[in-house]
Amino acid sequence: MWVTLQITFFTLGLGLVLALPISFGQIYGNKLLKAIIAVYEKILRSIPELVILFLIFYGFPRIGVRFSPFAAVVIGLGLRSSAYQSQVFRGAINSVSKTQMRAARSLGMSNFQGFVFIVLPQALRIALPPWTNEFTIVLKDSSLAYALGVTEILRQGGYIIATKHEPMIIYLTVAVFYFVVTIVINKSLGRVEKKLAIPGFDVKETVR
Amino acid sequence: MSEENVVLKIENLKKSFGDKEVLKGVSFEMKKGETKVIIGPSGTGKSTLLACINMLVVPNGGKIWLENEEVTSAKNLNKIRQEIGFVFQDFGLFSHLTALKNIMIGLTKVKKMEKEAARELAMAELKRVGLEKEASLYPAQLSGGQKQRVGIARALAMKPKIILFDEPTSALDPELIGEVLSVMKNLALSGMTMLVVTHEMGFARTVSDEIIFMENGYIVEQSSPEEMFKNPKNQRTKEFLFKLNELYGE
């Protein structure tokens, strides 16, 4: 159970750390950077997660790069998540109206200050709901670690079944675990969302 | 020397977007405490002119001075922009900040003021535009007129040498225009230097020292409001004023 949560958090963390600079590059970068990011993202979004994991775990040792199964899972799922998360942030940043930056600059803020103090705080609020969604997707994808022999909750269930012969009960328990964690994530991030909500601010208004 | 009183001087300003030349050589100057109103048909470069003055849009030619400093060749634009207030047609208030914080953020982040001092000054400016009670409200909770007054207070708090108004009342319901205009009128009377793009002829007539009529990237005519309304020299000015008169019935 802890392994599943660990995979989820590390994957999400790696994805986040990569996704923020990727989305910035995609919006503010030069043509070359944008092109590289576009390729990166297309590749990662079009390969099945399992294939990415097999490539990293079984393929990479052939070129002398060896990872533990756990690391391979976090890297593989993390890269994939970075591609998705960067889209979430890119969309959110773009949906903050251009006037906001103009107004910031007119006060004498630098581009960087305008981005940090004005654009980003609004963009992160907009990004929160789709990011919550990505969180639950990563949680469920963590079960793919099973294929590399990592003892996450699904494999643990398998071990218990091997001695207790109760697949229905054990797999139901596993399912309930995923269900409960998803609910908890949704509820708590939903609460964060409410707390950060801007009074009177309708999301529709920002989309405009 | 009268030169010392000149706050803003614009010389042969030009701007093109691609093939389209929007400003074709605009020159004028503003003395301290003056209010000038720019009128003219839409698409004639009025808003572009304002945006060029604080370099939100970079001109292709010509020069701009703010007092003795040449804006067009300035290294530190962020410093100069602090001294040029800008009021936007669509307010440009920061959606995630309260009215008070909208004003404070420029003071604390740009001017590096202490938080308490910034709060005090911001509150004083809100009071000046009659919105001290709305200090803790967010932009989405304010009416259009209130938003624009916060926008003006935010510009004022930076202690600018001049404030540029880009159609400040065009996005407002008719019954909200008055409150914004009266704030602007008081500002003008208090000696603020103001350059205003507007179609509010009542304001232009009673408050401005000079009206500038622009068309097709040129200044066609500039004169005192009395002169402009009674005796416009240019045929195009006549036609435009006649049309405005028909529209707004003044």
Side-chain angles (χ1 to χ4, degrees), chain B residues 16-211:
Chain B
S16 308
F17 294 105
D19 290 339
K20 192 169 165 25
E21 199 173 17
V22 182
L23 297 175
K24 299 172 182 167
V26 171
S27 307
F28 68 96
E29 60 176 45
M30 291 191 62
K31 295 201 175 68
K32 197 168 178 359
E34 271 188 327
T35 296
K36 292 196 181 184
V37 166
I38 304 178
I39 59 171
S42 54
T44 50
K46 302 179 306 271
S47 294
T48 306
L49 172 64
L50 288 198
C52 280
I53 293 174
N54 73 354
M55 301 286 279
L56 282 176
V57 169
V58 182
N60 300 112
K63 285 178 176 170
I64 300 167
W65 284 271
L66 184 68
E67 291 184 343
N68 293 320
E69 210 166 0
E70 197 193 324
V71 178
T72 27
S73 69
K75 292 215 175 59
N76 193 348
L77 274 178
N78 294 332
K79 177 89 184 61
I80 289 185
R81 289 202 183 106
Q82 293 174 40
E83 299 175 335
I84 304 176
F86 206 106
V87 174
F88 295 87
Q89 181 176 351
D90 49 3
F91 324 124
L93 295 187
F94 306 130
S95 321
H96 64 304
L97 298 175
T98 61
L100 186 71
K101 293 243 166 90
N102 256 282
I103 303 173
M104 282 173 66
I105 196 160
L107 302 174
T108 54
K109 303 297 182 194
V110 179
K111 292 206 153 180
K112 311 288 178 201
M113 270 173 79
E114 292 292 325
K115 218 170 177 184
E116 268 321 302
R119 183 185 303 274
E120 239 165 72
L121 176 54
M123 211 56 211
E125 295 300 352
L126 274 180
K127 209 170 223 167
R128 187 155 155 187
V129 298
L131 289 174
E132 67 268 40
K133 284 202 192 84
E134 283 78 7
S136 61
L137 294 184
Y138 285 83
Q141 297 170 308
L142 299 171
S143 74
Q146 291 172 330
K147 280 185 211 176
Q148 195 56 294
R149 279 146 70 197
V150 174
I152 294 171
R154 182 173 69 180
L156 276 174
M158 300 296 282
K159 307 283 179 217
K161 290 175 176 151
I162 181 172
I163 302 185
L164 314 175
F165 294 81
D166 188 5
E167 304 206 25
T169 56
S170 298
L172 297 177
D173 290 339
E175 74 264 29
L176 300 176
I177 291 175
E179 58 186 78
V180 173
L181 289 182
S182 95
V183 165
M184 287 170 63
K185 186 171 180 179
N186 286 334
L187 259 188
L189 292 176
S190 76
M192 176 54 76
T193 313
M194 296 161 56
L195 181 58
V196 186
V197 171
T198 185
H199 294 298
E200 292 299 327
M201 287 303 119
F203 177 84
R205 195 193 301 253
T206 55
V207 182
S208 76
D209 300 295
E210 187 172 78
I211 298 180

